[in-house]
Amino acid sequence: MTDHTVRILLVEDNPRDVELTLHALLKANVTNPVDVARDGEEAMRYLFGDERAPARSPPDIVILDLKLPKVSGLEILERLKADPSLGRIPVVVLTASREERDLHRSYEHGANSFLVKPVDIGEFMRVVGALGMYWTAVNHPPPAATHVTPAAGR
Amino acid sequence: MSREPAPAGPLAAGLGAALLNLLADAQEERSRLTQTQHAMVNILHDAHEASARSLSGQRAMANLLADGATERDRLTDTQRAVTNLLADAHAQQGQLSAMQSALLNILGDTEAERAARERAQAEVQVLNRELESRVAQRTADLSSANRDLEQFSYNVSHNLRSPARAIQGFATLLLSEHKAELTPEGRHFAEQIVEGGREMGVLIDGLINLAHVAQEPLRREAVDMERLAEAAWQNLRPAATGRDIAFHLGTLPPSAGDARLLGQVWAALLENAVKFTSSHATGRIEVGALREADGGVTYFVRDDGVGFDPKHAGKLFQPFERLHSHAEFPGVGVGLALVARIVERHGGSVRAEGAPGEGATFSFTIPKRPEVTP
């Protein structure tokens, strides 16, 4: 663990899923800051900036839904993992999809974890709580993204 | 005859001589007459003979003529007979001609019939080909429509997951975070929402599973069925907690197919067996296999649970068909439908045997070389 507070970027378009996810994190005592991007475009802007605004400081973990309006989760994942400075940020895919194709493509694009959102709320709370705990408190995140240069990469 | 003048006396002498001459002449004349008479007799005789000959010739002629007449009659008869024969022959020839033309007609008919038959056969072949291609086209259309429907069902199910979670989730939060503000009736209502949302979620997952099984490409690999059945049983142990279930796993020949899907078959069948033996404290579940003559293998799961009425056996493998109330045995009725789909995709078949109160045996046959159906 580090002194650095792990900041989460949640990319999720469904407002009720956002609320239930935030609630599940809180219930699991994951009190880390969570920024929410509500569609693919917003997530891209957050991560890479655009002509109007620069990128926000990189998150320490991204929880990513795949089915998103405008820009799909897989496109975000691909762009993120190909980026020299952001490529090491762990990405947890949290999706409704159980399609093998999505599973394969997510890992091909460098996803660090793949979770299917359970329909049952009890299960959902358990899964989201466990993921929050693991990535914020159990796992050692990579060194801050700003310190990573392409040369330092593997 | 010569007559010479007699001397007178000479007169007498002459007269005598003349008489003598006359006598000689008469003599001569008589001799000639006699000769002539002879000749005449001869001639008459000859004539007679000739006449006789002529007569006999005439008679012969008559005979000949008579004969000729007879002959002619015979000839006429023969001619008539020949004419008759010719007429007969002609009549026969006519008959023959008629028969020949009849035969020709028949042959012609046969020819026409053959041509007609060949034409009909050709038409039938064309129709058959058309029919085959139409059936193939229709099957392709139906398969495509079926895939579309399955994709649709999959998409709908997927999109229902989030609202179902929201219904169940927020009602749960209402109960946990705002319990104090709720009246007992309010809590009851919230509980019903939670329960309804939960059931909806299970149904949706069932639908997704079914659509998933139909859509996912089927792998073909060697499958250790005994290990799969054992693993499925181990996963079910928590469901059988507190119960005394005797589990007998026989020797199971390996199979070929999709191990992940066949694992789901074992899981569903064993879960079923655990569920339907749950009315007793003890239960017995037996898993075994029989080799079929054609090289396929029939695997079975037998339990001593509540069994079922055989007249409902056909319904068991239909999705969302349940033979028991939720209160008796909870579930959404997807497990066996899933089993049937998976087994059918492996080219196999499923069977259920049982009687009320006498347990049930669910079996499935996987052929030697499973035909992978799309």
Side-chain angles (χ1 to χ4, degrees):
Chain A
M1 307 196 202
T2 64
D3 297 334
H4 173 75
T5 304
V6 173
R7 191 156 42 84
I8 300 168
L9 171 64
L10 172 65
V11 187
E12 169 66 71
D13 65 310
N14 185 310
R16 286 179 295 278
D17 276 354
V18 169
E19 201 174 331
L20 288 175
T21 305
L22 295 176
H23 196 87
L25 290 172
L26 277 177
K27 277 283 179 186
N29 294 318
V30 178
T31 53
N32 302 55
V34 182
D35 292 329
V36 179
R38 292 175 192 272
D39 63 45
E41 229 170 52
E42 200 181 325
M44 290 296 242
R45 215 161 35 236
Y46 183 103
L47 292 165
F48 304 104
D50 61 7
E51 64 277 4
R52 283 177 293 173
R56 303 271 296 270
S57 65
D60 299 288
I61 169 134
V62 178
I63 299 175
L64 182 67
D65 188 14
L66 291 183
K67 216 176 148 195
L68 296 167
K70 297 172 188 172
V71 180
S72 81
L74 282 173
E75 284 175 78
I76 297 169
L77 180 63
E78 195 175 6
R79 173 89 191 271
L80 189 64
K81 287 296 181 183
D83 189 277
S85 62
L86 304 178
R88 286 191 176 193
I89 300 172
V91 176
V92 177
V93 173
L94 181 65
T95 176
S97 171
R98 294 198 298 179
E99 280 183 64
E100 292 247 323
R101 201 182 55 218
D102 285 338
L103 180 74
H104 282 293
R105 283 162 69 191
S106 293
Y107 280 116
E108 268 168 27
H109 290 323
N112 301 77
S113 183
F114 187 96
L115 300 170
V116 177
K117 290 180 201 166
V119 177
D120 184 85
I121 192 64
E123 288 278 297
F124 182 84
M125 299 293 244
R126 204 168 52 73
V127 166
V128 174
L131 109 79
M133 273 301 285
Y134 178 79
W135 289 104
T136 59
V138 180
N139 182 58
H140 283 253
T146 43
H147 302 148
V148 179
T149 63
R154 199 155 44 91
Chain B
M1 255 172 250
S2 64
R3 205 160 17 121
E4 289 176 37
L11 191 42
L15 220 31
L19 270 170
L20 270 174
N21 276 346
L22 275 171
L23 273 170
D25 282 352
Q27 197 83 10
E28 220 171 280
E29 205 61 30
R30 204 180 55 198
S31 148
R32 276 206 297 272
L33 267 173
T34 303
Q35 279 176 2
T36 304
Q37 206 176 16
H38 275 292
M40 279 296 287
V41 166
N42 280 346
I43 285 167
L44 278 173
H45 182 78
D46 281 359
H48 181 75
E49 274 192 357
S51 162
R53 271 209 305 279
S54 164
L55 201 66
S56 92
Q58 214 173 16
R59 209 172 286 132
M61 273 301 283
N63 282 347
L64 273 176
L65 279 173
D67 282 2
T70 315
E71 203 61 27
R72 205 183 49 211
D73 284 353
R74 274 219 301 274
L75 267 173
T76 307
D77 284 353
T78 307
Q79 202 175 27
R80 204 171 289 130
V82 167
T83 306
N84 285 343
L85 278 173
L86 279 172
D88 281 4
H90 186 72
Q92 278 179 9
Q93 200 184 28
Q95 275 175 8
L96 270 173
S97 289
M99 278 168 74
Q100 200 178 25
S101 71
L103 269 172
L104 279 173
N105 281 344
I106 290 172
L107 280 172
D109 283 0
T110 320
E111 189 66 24
E113 274 171 23
R114 204 183 60 179
R117 199 171 53 236
E118 277 172 6
R119 229 179 9 255
Q121 275 173 350
E123 277 169 21
V124 164
Q125 274 178 357
V126 167
L127 281 176
N128 269 346
R129 271 197 297 276
E130 266 176 33
L131 194 66
E132 274 169 26
S133 81
R134 268 161 62 187
V135 165
Q137 182 58 46
R138 203 81 187 97
T139 308
D141 288 352
L142 282 174
S143 299
S144 154
N146 202 35
R147 272 194 300 279
D148 288 351
L149 273 176
E150 264 158 3
Q151 183 63 49
F152 176 74
S153 146
Y154 186 74
N155 291 344
V156 166
S157 309
H158 250 292
N159 288 310
L160 286 175
R161 295 180 101 232
S162 179
R165 183 168 47 244
I167 292 167
Q168 194 202 356
F170 287 103
T172 303
L173 289 176
L174 193 63
L175 276 171
S176 61
E177 316 276 307
H178 301 276
K179 200 171 182 175
E181 290 115 292
L182 288 172
T183 62
E185 197 183 39
R187 277 199 292 279
H188 171 73
F189 290 164
E191 280 161 10
Q192 295 309 305
I193 296 171
V194 168
E195 202 39 47
R198 195 197 60 76
E199 199 178 311
M200 192 172 157
V202 175
L203 279 167
I204 289 165
D205 277 349
L207 270 174
I208 289 174
N209 258 336
L210 276 177
H212 202 249
V213 161
Q215 285 190 322
E216 282 293 299
L218 199 74
R219 274 186 281 237
R220 287 188 67 167
E221 56 208 346
V223 180
D224 184 342
M225 292 294 257
E226 205 171 308
R227 203 182 55 76
L228 277 187
E230 175 65 32
W233 175 249
Q234 292 306 328
N235 282 337
L236 271 173
R237 290 297 283 274
T241 305
R243 296 182 49 212
D244 183 13
I245 296 179
F247 181 68
H248 295 272
L249 177 59
T251 304
L252 305 184
S255 191
D258 192 305
R260 196 174 50 87
L261 292 179
L262 290 173
Q264 286 188 47
V265 168
W266 286 115
L269 290 180
L270 289 172
E271 191 185 339
N272 230 42
V274 168
K275 191 197 289 181
F276 292 107
T277 53
S278 62
S279 46
H280 314 304
T282 62
R284 181 188 158 84
I285 297 171
E286 187 190 347
V287 174
L290 303 162
R291 277 195 188 278
E292 298 291 334
D294 61 5
V297 181
T298 296
Y299 302 90
F300 66 84
V301 175
R302 182 174 295 146
D303 67 59
D304 62 351
V306 293
F308 60 88
D309 188 333
K311 75 178 175 199
H312 299 308
K315 277 187 172 180
L316 283 168
F317 295 101
Q318 298 293 317
F320 309 115
E321 286 285 351
R322 296 170 42 85
L323 298 187
H324 303 277
S325 73
H326 276 278
E328 279 180 293
F329 300 103
V332 291
V334 165
L336 290 178
L338 204 65
V339 167
R341 282 242 178 146
I342 294 170
V343 171
E344 277 156 19
R345 281 204 65 190
H346 282 80
S349 56
V350 291
R351 271 174 311 285
E353 293 155 85
E358 288 176 28
T361 303
F362 289 92
S363 51
F364 61 98
T365 304
I366 302 285
K368 192 179 181 189
R369 285 187 179 281
E371 273 178 38
V372 178
T373 59

